[in-house]
Amino acid sequence: MIARPIPAKALWLLLLVTLTACLPPALPPVVKIGLVAPFEGADRDVGYEAIYAARLAVREINAAGGAGGARLELVAYDDRADADFAVTAARNLATDGDVVAAIGHFRPESTAAARSIYAEAGLPLLALGAEDETYPLPETLDGTADWIAAYRAVGPYTPVPGVWALPTYEAVYTLAEAIAAAGAASEPDRAAVAAALPRIARQGFLGTLHWRAGATPETALIFRMESSAWK
């Protein structure tokens, strides 16, 4: 029997299917979150407490499959606990369209100086240290021994976590939950993440956490942490 030639169209389709089968799986989308804190100057310890905690949370979230399937990427800026540097850092985050939310600035003055930048950019900010807040040391809470060990394993010289470590860690997880919720309905952009944040109830070492947005147009995207454990 003489074999009949394969039509050109069928051959092309066969080649396309073969090539498609050989392609690597698609990479997950990347969503950026910002962190602004003092990494230089008198308050540098605050910044390093925060960034070690944020790195730990991002590492854990990505290892568990990401935020609704999206891989988190941390973008950090130093504001030196200075109002002018805070404004510059906020503008840098605002101009990066892939950044959907931020955490900062850990000092009331720097948060106040930058908040209009976030409002104009529609960029939600989880404001830690925007008011006179008191957080517990992780070592004083039950069940944190393994977490403290994981925190100290983030870097070769990571110190014992201070009061800003757990709030930052929980803030990253809150953002991951908001990004996942936003992505379930649409693209996890800034507006969708901001809309999802008030609905998140994060269960963590600090109790049940909620984030309350400001009441004025300038502070409507500035979210403050509230915990059931502090009431």
mmCIF file of all heavy atoms in Angstrom, residues 34-77:
data_model
loop_
_atom_site.group_PDB
_atom_site.id
_atom_site.type_symbol
_atom_site.label_atom_id
_atom_site.label_comp_id
_atom_site.label_asym_id
_atom_site.label_seq_id
_atom_site.Cartn_x
_atom_site.Cartn_y
_atom_site.Cartn_z
ATOM 1 N N GLY A 34 4.502 46.970 48.424
ATOM 2 C CA GLY A 34 5.567 47.867 48.861
ATOM 3 C C GLY A 34 5.744 47.836 50.369
ATOM 4 O O GLY A 34 4.816 47.545 51.120
ATOM 5 N N LEU A 35 6.958 48.147 50.783
ATOM 6 C CA LEU A 35 7.273 48.320 52.198
ATOM 7 C C LEU A 35 8.140 49.560 52.320
ATOM 8 O O LEU A 35 9.200 49.634 51.699
ATOM 9 C CB LEU A 35 8.021 47.105 52.757
ATOM 10 C CG LEU A 35 8.516 47.234 54.206
ATOM 11 C CD1 LEU A 35 7.337 47.236 55.177
ATOM 12 C CD2 LEU A 35 9.479 46.100 54.561
ATOM 13 N N VAL A 36 7.677 50.540 53.090
ATOM 14 C CA VAL A 36 8.453 51.750 53.334
ATOM 15 C C VAL A 36 8.721 51.847 54.824
ATOM 16 O O VAL A 36 7.791 51.839 55.643
ATOM 17 C CB VAL A 36 7.728 53.023 52.850
ATOM 18 C CG1 VAL A 36 8.627 54.239 53.043
ATOM 19 C CG2 VAL A 36 7.319 52.894 51.392
ATOM 20 N N ALA A 37 10.005 51.926 55.176
ATOM 21 C CA ALA A 37 10.400 51.936 56.580
ATOM 22 C C ALA A 37 11.768 52.593 56.706
ATOM 23 O O ALA A 37 12.486 52.736 55.708
ATOM 24 C CB ALA A 37 10.451 50.508 57.127
ATOM 25 N N PRO A 38 12.164 52.999 57.911
ATOM 26 C CA PRO A 38 13.502 53.573 58.089
ATOM 27 C C PRO A 38 14.573 52.472 58.162
ATOM 28 O O PRO A 38 14.581 51.676 59.100
ATOM 29 C CB PRO A 38 13.391 54.316 59.425
ATOM 30 C CG PRO A 38 12.306 53.612 60.168
ATOM 31 C CD PRO A 38 11.353 53.090 59.149
ATOM 32 N N PHE A 39 15.428 52.425 57.169
ATOM 33 C CA PHE A 39 16.528 51.465 57.155
ATOM 34 C C PHE A 39 17.868 52.121 57.482
ATOM 35 O O PHE A 39 18.873 51.436 57.625
ATOM 36 C CB PHE A 39 16.615 50.767 55.800
ATOM 37 C CG PHE A 39 15.378 49.979 55.463
ATOM 38 C CD1 PHE A 39 14.582 50.333 54.383
ATOM 39 C CD2 PHE A 39 14.999 48.890 56.237
ATOM 40 C CE1 PHE A 39 13.446 49.621 54.074
ATOM 41 C CE2 PHE A 39 13.852 48.170 55.937
ATOM 42 C CZ PHE A 39 13.069 48.538 54.845
ATOM 43 N N GLU A 40 17.866 53.430 57.581
ATOM 44 C CA GLU A 40 19.054 54.177 57.986
ATOM 45 C C GLU A 40 18.638 55.184 59.051
ATOM 46 O O GLU A 40 17.472 55.564 59.152
ATOM 47 C CB GLU A 40 19.691 54.910 56.796
ATOM 48 C CG GLU A 40 20.194 53.991 55.692
ATOM 49 C CD GLU A 40 21.360 53.137 56.115
ATOM 50 O OE1 GLU A 40 22.053 53.503 57.090
ATOM 51 O OE2 GLU A 40 21.596 52.083 55.485
ATOM 52 N N GLY A 41 19.602 55.625 59.845
ATOM 53 C CA GLY A 41 19.317 56.624 60.859
ATOM 54 C C GLY A 41 18.996 56.002 62.209
ATOM 55 O O GLY A 41 19.158 54.801 62.438
ATOM 56 N N ALA A 42 18.494 56.841 63.099
ATOM 57 C CA ALA A 42 18.272 56.424 64.481
ATOM 58 C C ALA A 42 17.221 55.330 64.620
ATOM 59 O O ALA A 42 17.237 54.555 65.578
ATOM 60 C CB ALA A 42 17.865 57.637 65.318
ATOM 61 N N ASP A 43 16.281 55.251 63.663
ATOM 62 C CA ASP A 43 15.195 54.274 63.746
ATOM 63 C C ASP A 43 15.418 53.069 62.845
ATOM 64 O O ASP A 43 14.467 52.353 62.504
ATOM 65 C CB ASP A 43 13.870 54.939 63.379
ATOM 66 C CG ASP A 43 13.438 55.975 64.392
ATOM 67 O OD1 ASP A 43 13.642 55.731 65.597
ATOM 68 O OD2 ASP A 43 12.908 57.029 63.994
ATOM 69 N N ARG A 44 16.653 52.814 62.448
ATOM 70 C CA ARG A 44 16.917 51.742 61.489
ATOM 71 C C ARG A 44 16.493 50.371 62.008
ATOM 72 O O ARG A 44 16.115 49.488 61.222
ATOM 73 C CB ARG A 44 18.396 51.725 61.106
ATOM 74 C CG ARG A 44 19.347 51.374 62.228
ATOM 75 C CD ARG A 44 20.805 51.654 61.837
ATOM 76 N NE ARG A 44 21.203 50.995 60.621
ATOM 77 C CZ ARG A 44 21.721 49.758 60.575
ATOM 78 N NH1 ARG A 44 21.880 49.056 61.685
ATOM 79 N NH2 ARG A 44 22.071 49.223 59.427
ATOM 80 N N ASP A 45 16.524 50.156 63.318
ATOM 81 C CA ASP A 45 16.105 48.857 63.860
ATOM 82 C C ASP A 45 14.649 48.555 63.519
ATOM 83 O O ASP A 45 14.280 47.394 63.302
ATOM 84 C CB ASP A 45 16.293 48.824 65.376
ATOM 85 C CG ASP A 45 17.756 48.738 65.783
ATOM 86 O OD1 ASP A 45 18.601 48.472 64.897
ATOM 87 O OD2 ASP A 45 18.065 48.950 66.975
ATOM 88 N N VAL A 46 13.826 49.596 63.473
ATOM 89 C CA VAL A 46 12.421 49.417 63.108
ATOM 90 C C VAL A 46 12.304 48.851 61.702
ATOM 91 O O VAL A 46 11.558 47.897 61.440
ATOM 92 C CB VAL A 46 11.664 50.760 63.210
ATOM 93 C CG1 VAL A 46 10.252 50.630 62.647
ATOM 94 C CG2 VAL A 46 11.627 51.242 64.649
ATOM 95 N N GLY A 47 13.072 49.433 60.779
ATOM 96 C CA GLY A 47 13.018 48.980 59.398
ATOM 97 C C GLY A 47 13.460 47.544 59.229
ATOM 98 O O GLY A 47 12.836 46.773 58.474
ATOM 99 N N TYR A 48 14.502 47.166 59.930
ATOM 100 C CA TYR A 48 14.998 45.803 59.776
ATOM 101 C C TYR A 48 14.080 44.785 60.435
ATOM 102 O O TYR A 48 13.919 43.661 59.930
ATOM 103 C CB TYR A 48 16.437 45.708 60.267
ATOM 104 C CG TYR A 48 17.381 46.312 59.259
ATOM 105 C CD1 TYR A 48 17.865 47.610 59.413
ATOM 106 C CD2 TYR A 48 17.717 45.619 58.106
ATOM 107 C CE1 TYR A 48 18.681 48.186 58.459
ATOM 108 C CE2 TYR A 48 18.543 46.181 57.147
ATOM 109 C CZ TYR A 48 19.027 47.467 57.326
ATOM 110 O OH TYR A 48 19.828 48.034 56.366
ATOM 111 N N GLU A 49 13.460 45.142 61.550
ATOM 112 C CA GLU A 49 12.432 44.270 62.120
ATOM 113 C C GLU A 49 11.333 44.014 61.082
ATOM 114 O O GLU A 49 10.874 42.875 60.901
ATOM 115 C CB GLU A 49 11.795 44.911 63.348
ATOM 116 C CG GLU A 49 12.633 44.913 64.601
ATOM 117 C CD GLU A 49 11.912 45.592 65.743
ATOM 118 O OE1 GLU A 49 10.663 45.556 65.766
ATOM 119 O OE2 GLU A 49 12.583 46.168 66.613
ATOM 120 N N ALA A 50 10.935 45.086 60.413
ATOM 121 C CA ALA A 50 9.839 44.989 59.449
ATOM 122 C C ALA A 50 10.229 44.183 58.226
ATOM 123 O O ALA A 50 9.469 43.314 57.771
ATOM 124 C CB ALA A 50 9.382 46.390 59.041
ATOM 125 N N ILE A 51 11.395 44.422 57.673
ATOM 126 C CA ILE A 51 11.724 43.764 56.410
ATOM 127 C C ILE A 51 12.000 42.282 56.596
ATOM 128 O O ILE A 51 11.657 41.458 55.741
ATOM 129 C CB ILE A 51 12.889 44.471 55.686
ATOM 130 C CG1 ILE A 51 12.894 44.050 54.209
ATOM 131 C CG2 ILE A 51 14.232 44.183 56.353
ATOM 132 C CD1 ILE A 51 13.771 44.893 53.327
ATOM 133 N N TYR A 52 12.600 41.892 57.725
ATOM 134 C CA TYR A 52 12.790 40.464 57.969
ATOM 135 C C TYR A 52 11.438 39.760 58.076
ATOM 136 O O TYR A 52 11.242 38.654 57.544
ATOM 137 C CB TYR A 52 13.601 40.231 59.240
ATOM 138 C CG TYR A 52 15.058 40.612 59.135
ATOM 139 C CD1 TYR A 52 15.688 41.334 60.150
ATOM 140 C CD2 TYR A 52 15.816 40.239 58.030
ATOM 141 C CE1 TYR A 52 17.032 41.687 60.068
ATOM 142 C CE2 TYR A 52 17.160 40.580 57.935
ATOM 143 C CZ TYR A 52 17.763 41.307 58.964
ATOM 144 O OH TYR A 52 19.091 41.651 58.868
ATOM 145 N N ALA A 53 10.494 40.390 58.768
ATOM 146 C CA ALA A 53 9.157 39.805 58.908
ATOM 147 C C ALA A 53 8.438 39.738 57.563
ATOM 148 O O ALA A 53 7.774 38.741 57.249
ATOM 149 C CB ALA A 53 8.342 40.619 59.905
ATOM 150 N N ALA A 54 8.557 40.797 56.769
ATOM 151 C CA ALA A 54 7.904 40.818 55.458
ATOM 152 C C ALA A 54 8.489 39.750 54.541
ATOM 153 O O ALA A 54 7.761 39.064 53.818
ATOM 154 C CB ALA A 54 8.052 42.204 54.827
ATOM 155 N N ARG A 55 9.809 39.604 54.565
ATOM 156 C CA ARG A 55 10.442 38.572 53.733
ATOM 157 C C ARG A 55 9.991 37.177 54.142
ATOM 158 O O ARG A 55 9.755 36.321 53.284
ATOM 159 C CB ARG A 55 11.961 38.695 53.836
ATOM 160 C CG ARG A 55 12.547 39.875 53.078
ATOM 161 C CD ARG A 55 14.031 39.999 53.356
ATOM 162 N NE ARG A 55 14.639 41.086 52.583
ATOM 163 C CZ ARG A 55 15.868 41.543 52.779
ATOM 164 N NH1 ARG A 55 16.628 40.995 53.727
ATOM 165 N NH2 ARG A 55 16.341 42.526 52.036
ATOM 166 N N LEU A 56 9.872 36.950 55.444
ATOM 167 C CA LEU A 56 9.409 35.651 55.912
ATOM 168 C C LEU A 56 7.995 35.371 55.415
ATOM 169 O O LEU A 56 7.705 34.280 54.898
ATOM 170 C CB LEU A 56 9.451 35.605 57.441
ATOM 171 C CG LEU A 56 8.863 34.345 58.097
ATOM 172 C CD1 LEU A 56 9.575 33.093 57.631
ATOM 173 C CD2 LEU A 56 8.902 34.467 59.619
ATOM 174 N N ALA A 57 7.114 36.339 55.551
ATOM 175 C CA ALA A 57 5.727 36.149 55.108
ATOM 176 C C ALA A 57 5.645 35.908 53.608
ATOM 177 O O ALA A 57 4.937 35.002 53.156
ATOM 178 C CB ALA A 57 4.895 37.368 55.501
ATOM 179 N N VAL A 58 6.364 36.711 52.820
ATOM 180 C CA VAL A 58 6.342 36.537 51.366
ATOM 181 C C VAL A 58 6.863 35.163 50.983
ATOM 182 O O VAL A 58 6.308 34.476 50.107
ATOM 183 C CB VAL A 58 7.164 37.652 50.687
ATOM 184 C CG1 VAL A 58 7.409 37.324 49.210
ATOM 185 C CG2 VAL A 58 6.453 38.988 50.809
ATOM 186 N N ARG A 59 7.940 34.725 51.635
ATOM 187 C CA ARG A 59 8.513 33.403 51.348
ATOM 188 C C ARG A 59 7.501 32.296 51.645
ATOM 189 O O ARG A 59 7.312 31.375 50.842
ATOM 190 C CB ARG A 59 9.771 33.207 52.186
ATOM 191 C CG ARG A 59 10.491 31.892 51.970
ATOM 192 C CD ARG A 59 11.680 31.782 52.905
ATOM 193 N NE ARG A 59 12.641 32.847 52.687
ATOM 194 C CZ ARG A 59 13.718 33.037 53.449
ATOM 195 N NH1 ARG A 59 13.953 32.235 54.485
ATOM 196 N NH2 ARG A 59 14.561 34.015 53.175
ATOM 197 N N GLU A 60 6.824 32.396 52.779
ATOM 198 C CA GLU A 60 5.839 31.376 53.147
ATOM 199 C C GLU A 60 4.651 31.368 52.187
ATOM 200 O O GLU A 60 4.179 30.304 51.766
ATOM 201 C CB GLU A 60 5.344 31.625 54.573
ATOM 202 C CG GLU A 60 6.378 31.376 55.656
ATOM 203 C CD GLU A 60 5.864 31.734 57.036
ATOM 204 O OE1 GLU A 60 4.801 32.383 57.137
ATOM 205 O OE2 GLU A 60 6.531 31.371 58.015
ATOM 206 N N ILE A 61 4.155 32.549 51.862
ATOM 207 C CA ILE A 61 2.985 32.652 50.976
ATOM 208 C C ILE A 61 3.303 32.087 49.600
ATOM 209 O O ILE A 61 2.522 31.320 49.029
ATOM 210 C CB ILE A 61 2.519 34.120 50.892
ATOM 211 C CG1 ILE A 61 1.949 34.559 52.241
ATOM 212 C CG2 ILE A 61 1.486 34.307 49.783
ATOM 213 C CD1 ILE A 61 1.838 36.056 52.404
ATOM 214 N N ASN A 62 4.437 32.454 49.041
ATOM 215 C CA ASN A 62 4.804 31.943 47.716
ATOM 216 C C ASN A 62 5.030 30.440 47.734
ATOM 217 O O ASN A 62 4.663 29.730 46.791
ATOM 218 C CB ASN A 62 6.047 32.669 47.205
ATOM 219 C CG ASN A 62 5.763 34.090 46.769
ATOM 220 O OD1 ASN A 62 4.624 34.440 46.476
ATOM 221 N ND2 ASN A 62 6.780 34.922 46.721
ATOM 222 N N ALA A 63 5.628 29.922 48.817
ATOM 223 C CA ALA A 63 5.854 28.479 48.923
ATOM 224 C C ALA A 63 4.535 27.708 48.999
ATOM 225 O O ALA A 63 4.467 26.544 48.580
ATOM 226 C CB ALA A 63 6.715 28.170 50.143
ATOM 227 N N ALA A 64 3.494 28.366 49.521
ATOM 228 C CA ALA A 64 2.187 27.724 49.655
ATOM 229 C C ALA A 64 1.304 27.923 48.420
ATOM 230 O O ALA A 64 0.128 27.547 48.445
ATOM 231 C CB ALA A 64 1.471 28.256 50.892
ATOM 232 N N GLY A 65 1.845 28.506 47.363
ATOM 233 C CA GLY A 65 1.068 28.679 46.134
ATOM 234 C C GLY A 65 0.732 30.109 45.782
ATOM 235 O O GLY A 65 0.083 30.373 44.769
ATOM 236 N N GLY A 66 1.168 31.050 46.615
ATOM 237 C CA GLY A 66 0.972 32.457 46.305
ATOM 238 C C GLY A 66 -0.340 33.011 46.828
ATOM 239 O O GLY A 66 -1.069 32.364 47.575
ATOM 240 N N ALA A 67 -0.628 34.225 46.415
ATOM 241 C CA ALA A 67 -1.856 34.920 46.813
ATOM 242 C C ALA A 67 -2.897 34.720 45.721
ATOM 243 O O ALA A 67 -2.884 35.413 44.706
ATOM 244 C CB ALA A 67 -1.583 36.411 47.021
ATOM 245 N N GLY A 68 -3.749 33.726 45.896
ATOM 246 C CA GLY A 68 -4.712 33.402 44.845
ATOM 247 C C GLY A 68 -4.038 32.941 43.572
ATOM 248 O O GLY A 68 -4.557 33.167 42.475
ATOM 249 N N GLY A 69 -2.868 32.322 43.703
ATOM 250 C CA GLY A 69 -2.116 31.855 42.546
ATOM 251 C C GLY A 69 -1.089 32.835 42.041
ATOM 252 O O GLY A 69 -0.250 32.476 41.202
ATOM 253 N N ALA A 70 -1.122 34.062 42.521
ATOM 254 C CA ALA A 70 -0.145 35.077 42.106
ATOM 255 C C ALA A 70 1.060 35.045 43.039
ATOM 256 O O ALA A 70 0.917 34.887 44.259
ATOM 257 C CB ALA A 70 -0.773 36.466 42.118
ATOM 258 N N ARG A 71 2.223 35.206 42.453
ATOM 259 C CA ARG A 71 3.443 35.225 43.255
ATOM 260 C C ARG A 71 3.679 36.640 43.771
ATOM 261 O O ARG A 71 3.613 37.608 43.017
ATOM 262 C CB ARG A 71 4.627 34.782 42.385
ATOM 263 C CG ARG A 71 5.961 34.727 43.108
ATOM 264 C CD ARG A 71 7.042 34.204 42.182
ATOM 265 N NE ARG A 71 8.343 34.234 42.847
ATOM 266 C CZ ARG A 71 9.142 35.288 42.864
ATOM 267 N NH1 ARG A 71 8.781 36.403 42.247
ATOM 268 N NH2 ARG A 71 10.297 35.239 43.486
ATOM 269 N N LEU A 72 3.942 36.768 45.064
ATOM 270 C CA LEU A 72 4.191 38.077 45.661
ATOM 271 C C LEU A 72 5.647 38.477 45.480
ATOM 272 O O LEU A 72 6.554 37.653 45.588
ATOM 273 C CB LEU A 72 3.871 38.069 47.147
ATOM 274 C CG LEU A 72 2.410 37.938 47.572
ATOM 275 C CD1 LEU A 72 2.297 38.109 49.080
ATOM 276 C CD2 LEU A 72 1.529 38.951 46.854
ATOM 277 N N GLU A 73 5.849 39.760 45.225
ATOM 278 C CA GLU A 73 7.199 40.326 45.164
ATOM 279 C C GLU A 73 7.228 41.562 46.058
ATOM 280 O O GLU A 73 6.347 42.420 45.975
ATOM 281 C CB GLU A 73 7.561 40.710 43.730
ATOM 282 C CG GLU A 73 8.963 41.287 43.579
ATOM 283 C CD GLU A 73 9.325 41.576 42.138
ATOM 284 O OE1 GLU A 73 8.986 40.770 41.257
ATOM 285 O OE2 GLU A 73 9.928 42.649 41.883
ATOM 286 N N LEU A 74 8.244 41.637 46.915
ATOM 287 C CA LEU A 74 8.362 42.741 47.863
ATOM 288 C C LEU A 74 9.262 43.823 47.299
ATOM 289 O O LEU A 74 10.366 43.549 46.831
ATOM 290 C CB LEU A 74 8.932 42.222 49.182
ATOM 291 C CG LEU A 74 9.038 43.224 50.332
ATOM 292 C CD1 LEU A 74 7.659 43.644 50.812
ATOM 293 C CD2 LEU A 74 9.848 42.613 51.481
ATOM 294 N N VAL A 75 8.767 45.073 47.337
ATOM 295 C CA VAL A 75 9.547 46.235 46.918
ATOM 296 C C VAL A 75 9.723 47.135 48.133
ATOM 297 O O VAL A 75 8.737 47.632 48.683
ATOM 298 C CB VAL A 75 8.836 47.015 45.789
ATOM 299 C CG1 VAL A 75 9.687 48.200 45.337
ATOM 300 C CG2 VAL A 75 8.528 46.101 44.617
ATOM 301 N N ALA A 76 10.958 47.333 48.575
ATOM 302 C CA ALA A 76 11.210 48.070 49.816
ATOM 303 C C ALA A 76 11.945 49.377 49.551
ATOM 304 O O ALA A 76 12.859 49.427 48.723
ATOM 305 C CB ALA A 76 12.014 47.211 50.786
ATOM 306 N N TYR A 77 11.547 50.427 50.276
ATOM 307 C CA TYR A 77 12.197 51.733 50.193
ATOM 308 C C TYR A 77 12.492 52.253 51.598
ATOM 309 O O TYR A 77 11.718 52.030 52.534
ATOM 310 C CB TYR A 77 11.307 52.747 49.462
ATOM 311 C CG TYR A 77 11.262 52.563 47.962
ATOM 312 C CD1 TYR A 77 10.191 51.902 47.367
ATOM 313 C CD2 TYR A 77 12.287 53.045 47.150
ATOM 314 C CE1 TYR A 77 10.139 51.728 45.991
ATOM 315 C CE2 TYR A 77 12.241 52.877 45.777
ATOM 316 C CZ TYR A 77 11.175 52.220 45.196
ATOM 317 O OH TYR A 77 11.131 52.042 43.839
#
